């Protein structure tokens, strides 16, 4: 059944056919940035693929017409993802919606220009059967995959500033603690705030080191030196 409330929907595809999307009841900015970061994280890319936005994105705007007091929907998709309109209808629960072709930049979406990224981001040209919703049930940016609902693993992000002996010691100590205290598999993603300012901003990191438990929810974080193993243990098991 079609959603009966106003919302803003955005979707970002890869050349290989994977998609990340977001449904936002309140019109917020910077969602395209968050979708790019989601693609980077889930596919293990060196940087967020911002170059996809002008060519491989779709938007849905369901709003209340102030004159008619009825909900109206504007749905736009780029030419490169035009064939995925059926999938977009399912993701955003749309019925009887006429999609409009969203204008794209001839320069940015030139096949030769896009091909120049292929060597650096080969994963984007592969199909991983990925359909991933990006949500923010808390104030932290979080990747929400429907399959995560039954997962027994843990996902952590460690924000550091540059490479140093202190960073190596922190990583070693943290891995030892996780290996010893967790009874489940875990993923620890190390993020340099100097190289990834966008992710740093999204996760509201203001000091380093910062350790964030992304999954399982609720999200937990430790800010400061990782010397107190009891604090880390409480973060993991709280």
């Amino acid at each position: 059944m079609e959603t009966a409330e106003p919302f803003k929907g955005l979707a970002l595809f890869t050349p290989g056919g994977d998609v990340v999307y977001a449904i936002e009841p309140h019109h917020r900015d910077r969602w395209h940035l968050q979708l790019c970061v989601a693609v980077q994280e889930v596919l293990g890319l060196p940087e967020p693929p911002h170059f996809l936005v002008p060519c491989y994105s779709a938007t849905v705007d369901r709003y209340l017409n102030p004159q008619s007091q009825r909900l109206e929907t504007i749905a736009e998709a780029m030419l490169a993802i035009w064939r995925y309109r059926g999938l977009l209808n399912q993701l955003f629960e749309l019925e009887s919606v006429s999609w409009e072709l969203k204008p794209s930049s001839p320069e940015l979406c030139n096949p030769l220009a896009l091909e120049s990224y292929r060597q650096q981001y080969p994963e984007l040209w592969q199909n991983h059967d990925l359909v991933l919703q990006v949500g923010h049930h808390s104030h932290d940016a979080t990747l929400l995959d429907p399959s995560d609902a039954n997962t027994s693993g843990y996902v952590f992000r460690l924000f550091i500033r540059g490479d140093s002996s202190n960073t190596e010691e922190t990583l070693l100590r943290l891995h030892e603690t996780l290996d010893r205290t967790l009874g489940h598999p875990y993923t620890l993603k190390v993020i340099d705030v100097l190289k990834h300012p966008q992710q740093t901003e999204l996760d509201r990191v203001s000091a380093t080191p910062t350790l964030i438990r992304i999954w399982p929810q609720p999200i937990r974080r430790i800010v400061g030196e990782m010397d107190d193993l009891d604090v880390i243990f409480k973060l993991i098991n709280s």
Side-chain angles (χ1 to χ4, degrees):
M1 180 177 295
E2 203 167 31
T3 303
E5 297 291 339
F7 72 91
K8 181 78 171 183
L10 296 99
L12 183 66
F13 284 80
T14 69
D18 295 320
V19 59
V20 296
Y21 70 101
I23 299 175
E24 170 56 55
H26 309 289
H27 292 196
R28 287 172 39 144
D29 297 326
R30 305 179 67 82
W31 261 112
H32 282 114
L33 171 62
Q34 188 163 340
L35 294 183
C36 290
V37 171
V39 174
Q40 177 198 7
E41 288 199 345
V42 74
L43 296 184
L45 306 179
E47 298 289 342
H50 301 295
F51 61 89
L52 293 179
V53 175
C55 315
Y56 290 90
S57 61
T59 59
V60 176
D61 190 1
R62 170 154 292 165
Y63 65 97
L64 181 65
N65 188 313
Q67 296 181 340
S68 64
Q69 291 300 305
R70 298 182 62 179
L71 286 175
E72 298 186 9
T73 304
I74 298 176
E76 297 181 313
M78 298 289 189
L79 180 61
I81 62 170
W82 190 250
R83 64 186 183 277
Y84 296 121
R85 300 191 307 281
L87 173 59
L88 290 167
N89 286 338
Q90 295 182 41
L91 297 180
F92 296 114
E93 299 183 2
L94 302 177
E95 297 177 4
S96 304
V97 172
S98 296
W99 283 85
E100 300 177 10
L101 192 60
K102 193 173 183 179
S104 57
S105 169
E107 294 182 359
L108 296 177
C109 298
N110 184 294
L112 293 178
L114 292 171
E115 189 68 21
S116 66
Y117 293 100
R118 189 164 187 161
Q119 184 175 359
Q120 184 180 2
Y121 304 93
E123 297 85 354
L124 295 178
W125 273 260
Q126 302 167 6
N127 190 326
H128 304 85
D129 295 322
L130 174 68
V131 178
L132 180 67
Q133 182 175 3
V134 178
H136 56 279
H137 295 286
S138 69
H139 294 294
D140 295 271
T142 308
L143 295 183
L144 297 180
D145 186 338
S147 64
D148 282 341
N150 298 316
T151 188
S152 59
Y154 285 74
V155 179
F156 299 93
R157 292 180 193 153
L158 175 65
F159 288 84
I160 53 97
R161 179 178 295 271
D163 296 325
S164 67
S165 58
N166 291 336
T167 298
E168 294 179 3
E169 293 176 4
T170 298
L171 276 174
L172 179 60
R173 189 181 307 112
L174 186 54
H175 275 297
E176 290 177 347
T177 302
L178 295 174
D179 290 340
R180 186 177 65 256
T181 59
L182 285 179
H184 302 287
Y186 69 89
T187 299
L188 174 62
K189 183 175 180 62
V190 181
I191 301 171
D192 189 336
V193 298
L194 300 177
K195 296 180 180 179
H196 303 284
Q198 298 95 341
Q199 183 65 54
T200 302
E201 180 181 351
L202 285 172
D203 278 332
R204 300 185 295 115
V205 173
S206 58
T208 57
T210 292
L211 176 65
I212 304 177
R213 188 190 72 185
I214 299 298
W215 190 266
Q217 294 191 352
I219 292 171
R220 294 285 187 262
R221 66 174 63 211
I222 297 174
V223 180
E225 298 302 325
M226 304 293 164
D227 295 328
D228 194 336
L229 300 184
D230 291 335
V231 173
I232 297 176
F233 183 80
K234 289 179 181 179
L235 168 80
I236 295 170
N237 293 282
S238 60

